[in-house]
Amino acid sequence: MNVLTLEAPAKINLHLAVGAKRPDGYHEIESVMQEIDLCDLVSVTRAPRAAGQHIAVHCSDPAVPCDRRNIVWKCAEAFFRAYGIAEYDIFIDIEKHIPSSAGLAGGSSDGAATLKALNLLFGIRADRDRLMQIGASVGADIPFCLAGGTCLCRGIGERVTPLAVPKPSWAVLVAFPGGGISTSEAYRLLDTSPAASFSSPDMLLTELRSGRLPSSLFNDFERVVLPRHPGAAALRDRMSSLGASSVRMSGSGPSVFGLFPALSDARRARETLLADGIPAWAAKPL
Ligand code: ATP
């Protein structure tokens, strides 16, 4: 086997509370992340013979860098370093469907898929915890992307606890209003805004355990990002008017998601957003 194609699913944050800035500059967070079936496709090819170290990346989205800045490249280097693999020749092809810089962890998920693929292609048999450790050295969302499902994420997001909740029966409509604020800028805005009390996900966890459509969604970034992003704020209102039971921004934005009782409801609302010229996707939680 020398080619492997894996799906790389997006995530949404059902709950995202940001705490204090640590001495190392990162922020403590508490987040409930949910994997959804809006996926990139990542194909990793291993050349049978390698002399030296060679990585090449191609991405269907021309806005995503295909050099060392790509998260898949960083994950591949971290993987080879971790296992002392000195000779490799790989090609990583990313078919992008998840909008990038949107708060949906598209890049992190591509990185997680790359780690899984390399683990198989190089016959390493690392367990998931070890891959999560390697992933965490590249990005805080990568361990969740390796775990998938519904998880409570703490630390800077890298301490992942899978939640034993029934598989959600509800559906998600995700939409991207364009533009945006970088994640580092969003954290900076939070640091300079009046502190809010650290919100707990307890209500949400009770709702998730009961299997009903959750309504206790929370995202700390909304209070600093939405006032500066009228497009995202308007999209929140639009989704509510289209029947979403709860609407929130995902991650540091600017994508917005709404929850619907069934996929058919989310698909109907999607058609309306598409007719308005807003990129949108109806998805199921995984
Ligand atoms: P998160 O929710 O984890 O904060 P995000 O959805 O906001 O992530 P990503 O799409 O994961 O953002 O990545 C955004 C940045 O990473 C952009 O600057 C982009 O150029 C860069 N990047 C590197 N590799 C990738 C990749 N494989 N896919 C998308 N963006 C990538």
Side-chain angles (χ1 to χ4, degrees):
M1 172 180 58
N2 58 11
V3 188
L4 210 51
T5 301
L6 297 180
E7 289 186 332
K11 61 88 177 146
I12 53 171
N13 300 83
L14 297 174
H15 179 95
L16 175 51
V18 180
K21 193 173 177 175
R22 309 190 310 195
D24 63 6
Y26 290 100
H27 290 75
E28 290 282 331
I29 67 160
E30 186 165 43
S31 183
V32 177
M33 296 201 201
Q34 175 66 56
E35 186 184 37
I36 58 173
D37 70 356
L38 165 63
C39 298
D40 289 344
L41 275 184
V42 178
S43 295
V44 183
T45 306
R46 177 187 179 186
R49 268 177 293 279
Q53 308 176 338
H54 187 248
I55 299 175
V57 174
H58 173 265
C59 183
S60 61
D61 179 349
V64 173
C66 288
D67 52 20
R68 292 201 138 74
R69 288 170 294 171
N70 199 298
I71 297 169
V72 301
W73 190 306
K74 294 180 190 171
C75 281
E77 283 191 328
F79 180 86
F80 294 132
R81 220 175 13 253
Y83 290 102
I85 298 171
E87 309 248 285
Y88 48 83
D89 184 356
I90 58 161
F91 171 59
I92 307 170
D93 188 35
I94 310 166
E95 188 181 304
K96 217 64 199 151
H97 298 279
I98 306 169
S100 61
S101 303
L104 300 169
S108 301
S109 192
D110 296 345
T114 299
L115 289 175
K116 283 191 219 167
L118 292 175
N119 192 31
L120 292 166
L121 288 170
F122 283 79
I124 297 294
R125 298 177 176 218
D127 63 15
R128 198 175 67 182
D129 284 353
R130 181 70 184 113
L131 290 184
M132 285 164 89
Q133 242 176 26
I134 299 170
S137 72
V138 176
D141 282 348
I142 297 177
F144 166 74
C145 294
L146 285 158
T150 314
C151 294
L152 181 61
C153 303
R154 293 199 170 109
I156 60 168
E158 88 293 11
R159 276 174 33 217
V160 174
T161 309
L163 294 171
V165 296
K167 190 171 156 99
S169 60
W170 33 272
V172 185
L173 176 65
V174 182
F176 183 57
I181 291 175
S182 74
T183 303
S184 55
E185 171 67 359
Y187 274 111
R188 200 192 58 76
L189 289 169
L190 271 184
D191 288 339
T192 51
S193 74
S197 58
F198 197 71
S199 173
S200 145
D202 289 353
M203 287 279 284
L204 171 68
L205 295 181
T206 305
E207 290 171 344
L208 289 172
R209 282 187 198 108
S210 77
R212 63 177 190 266
L213 193 61
S215 60
S216 303
L217 310 185
F218 178 78
N219 185 340
D220 245 332
F221 283 113
E222 287 194 340
R223 65 192 164 89
V224 292
V225 173
L226 292 183
R228 290 166 177 84
H229 200 309
L235 190 51
R236 272 202 55 172
D237 297 342
R238 186 88 179 99
M239 269 205 201
S240 298
S241 75
L242 291 173
S245 60
S246 306
V247 186
R248 280 282 170 262
M249 201 173 74
S250 187
S252 57
S255 60
V256 167
F257 66 91
L259 304 188
F260 289 80
L263 192 58
S264 52
D265 304 313
R267 284 191 174 137
R268 253 193 309 279
R270 173 181 185 242
E271 292 307 317
T272 310
L273 290 185
L274 291 180
D276 291 349
I278 299 167
W281 301 265
K284 288 287 291 173
L286 289 170

